[in-house]
Amino acid sequence: MSLADETQWMDATAQAALVAEGEVTPGELLEAALERIERLDPQIHALTFRWPDEARATAADPALPGGPFRGVPFLLKDLHAHMVGRPLSNGNAALRAEAPTSPRSTTLVERFEAAGLVIAGRTNSPELGSLPTTEPVAWGPTRNPWAPDRTPGGSSGGAGAAVASGMVPVAHASDGGGSIRIPASCCGLVGLKPSQGRITVGPYRDETALGVELCVSRTVRDTAAVLDATHGPGVGDTVIAPPPSRPYGDEVGADPGRLRIGLLDHHPQDGTIDDACAEAARAAGALLESLAHHVEPAFPEALSDPSVSSQFLALWATGMATGIAACESLLGRAMTEDEVEPVNWVQAEFANGLSATDLAAALSASAAFRRRAQQWWADGWDLLVTPTLGEVPLPLGTMANDPANPIAPLARAGAFVPFTPAWNMTGQPAISLPLHRTAEGVPVGVQLVAAYGREDLLLRVAAQLEEAQPWAHLHPPIS
């Protein structure tokens, strides 16, 4: 058996151990990953830019940092994650064509490198990360390794497909409305959205906005280890999550105690979700009860407020406008309507029509929602369990651009992702775990939500569930 086959389903912790113990070199581990990428990516189309030669030079460098992931192959999402001297397209066709390079790396990318990860390329993302599917006009669709006719989710869909298929053991991902948790659910992975201010998004982005960053992985211990390697504020950050009392890796296997857990198994506003998604949440609740936790139907009443969606969309549209401005900065010129996908251009036009007072009102409403939602945890609840998604992975093309109705893809997305955006507004940590499958074997994720700053509790319970109902042995048929 080749090294590419031997390491395909090893998690990042195990691969790093091979290097640390001298059983393989970083270069050999990289070549195994590159071999898998060459074999699998034509079927999945998870990658955009590839940097094999640069990655080989990094792996062969005696100065490769001796961090916890020394020599482990890694991929950056093709959205926001600047790396000095490398191109970034943000899923946009004009940026793909002109391929301007970044003048400096983000702080998080520098932390990935300091951890010893060997960055070999970028993964596909919808343009500006705007949709919960990965089908940008610039690069074409990424396919779900479990069901190639279906979406891998988005916006970190390329990352999800690359990890689920075994190209790499872990990959960078970001989340402004569910974009770590959605592909984790669709692709059968672990996806932790950290608390707002847990990991700096500097120097290019604003930590007070909706977006946070971390990874998608196959194991809870990998997610905990990446969080240990990357958490903490950057220069000038104004939102800083409380520091952990001990390493997050120590939470894996730790006893969480008996918890009070609320279960939400339906759409909080209209009640309608796929049966498989409801079943996933109920089964997770039953599993948690079997582990001696107290579980009962309960959830924050704030989730039932129909105005929450419009509050989120005002902030989301503003993000599209600032995203286009960031693309223009990279290009060094203004962009025209035909250079931006219709769903994003119309959102930016809407945002550009908002007054400063309108934006202030949306931010104020978001703050009020945050306080109402977080009160539920303050009143004595430890965790909320929900389906990650309202539907099983949708067929590719379901959210395609429609020039005659440019907002249609975003409107369609609402039924798909009723459970994830709220926690970007509140800033709370949430994790999607691959605890359920459809009759056809397609993954269905379960989301756990904790109080602000309590990633430690999420990781304890996630590891407990992983031990009780393992998933690492489940591999997609594309392998």
Side-chain angles (χ1 to χ4, degrees), residues 113-136:
E113 292 181 296
L117 292 163
V118 177
I119 298 170
R122 292 196 183 278
T123 57
N124 202 14
S125 168
E127 184 184 73
L128 300 176
S130 64
L131 294 172
T133 186
T134 302
E135 306 173 52

Side-chain angles (χ1 to χ4, degrees), residues 385-424:
V385 175
T386 79
T388 304
L389 299 173
E391 300 175 275
V392 299
L394 298 172
L396 289 168
T398 301
M399 286 177 268
N401 273 286
D402 180 0
N405 184 10
I407 205 66
L410 193 64
R412 179 61 183 86
F416 189 44
V417 294
F419 300 104
T420 56
W423 316 117
N424 296 85

Side-chain angles (χ1 to χ4, degrees), residues 78-105:
D78 196 0
L79 183 72
H80 304 315
H82 291 271
M83 186 174 185
V84 62
R86 306 288 174 86
L88 173 73
S89 82
N90 289 331
N92 175 262
L95 281 174
R96 176 186 179 176
E98 299 189 27
T101 57
S102 298
R104 65 160 293 180
S105 298

Side-chain angles (χ1 to χ4, degrees), residues 31-232:
E31 291 302 329
L34 293 176
E35 179 182 326
R36 291 192 296 270
I37 288 170
E38 286 298 320
R39 173 163 47 93
L40 296 170
D41 198 49
Q43 305 170 63
I44 300 171
H45 191 50
L47 276 68
T48 56
F49 298 106
R50 298 189 190 187
W51 305 318
D53 293 338
E54 294 88 342
R56 290 183 177 110
T58 298
D61 189 345
L64 178 66
F69 294 111
R70 185 174 186 271
V72 174
F74 191 69
L75 297 168
L76 293 177
K77 183 176 177 180
D78 196 0
L79 183 72
H80 304 315
H82 291 271
M83 186 174 185
V84 62
R86 306 288 174 86
L88 173 73
S89 82
N90 289 331
N92 175 262
L95 281 174
R96 176 186 179 176
E98 299 189 27
T101 57
S102 298
R104 65 160 293 180
S105 298
T106 66
T107 304
L108 179 57
V109 169
E110 292 173 345
R111 291 177 183 175
F112 286 144
E113 292 181 296
L117 292 163
V118 177
I119 298 170
R122 292 196 183 278
T123 57
N124 202 14
S125 168
E127 184 184 73
L128 300 176
S130 64
L131 294 172
T133 186
T134 302
E135 306 173 52
V137 171
W139 297 96
T142 296
R143 298 184 178 278
N144 190 322
W146 293 90
D149 62 331
R150 294 181 178 270
T151 180
S155 62
S156 307
V163 174
S165 63
M167 294 184 200
V168 292
V170 63
H172 168 242
S174 57
D175 190 315
S179 294
I180 290 174
R181 294 158 288 159
I182 296 163
S185 179
C186 291
C187 295
L189 302 174
V190 177
L192 171 65
K193 181 201 87 68
S195 297
Q196 186 184 49
R198 174 64 65 206
I199 300 172
T200 183
V201 294
Y204 294 101
R205 302 179 71 199
D206 179 4
E207 71 280 358
T208 67
L210 297 169
V212 295
E213 303 187 39
L214 188 60
C215 67
V216 287
S217 75
R218 289 198 291 268
T219 62
V220 175
R221 70 176 185 174
D222 272 5
T223 290
V226 175
L227 187 58
D228 274 326
T230 57
H231 76 82

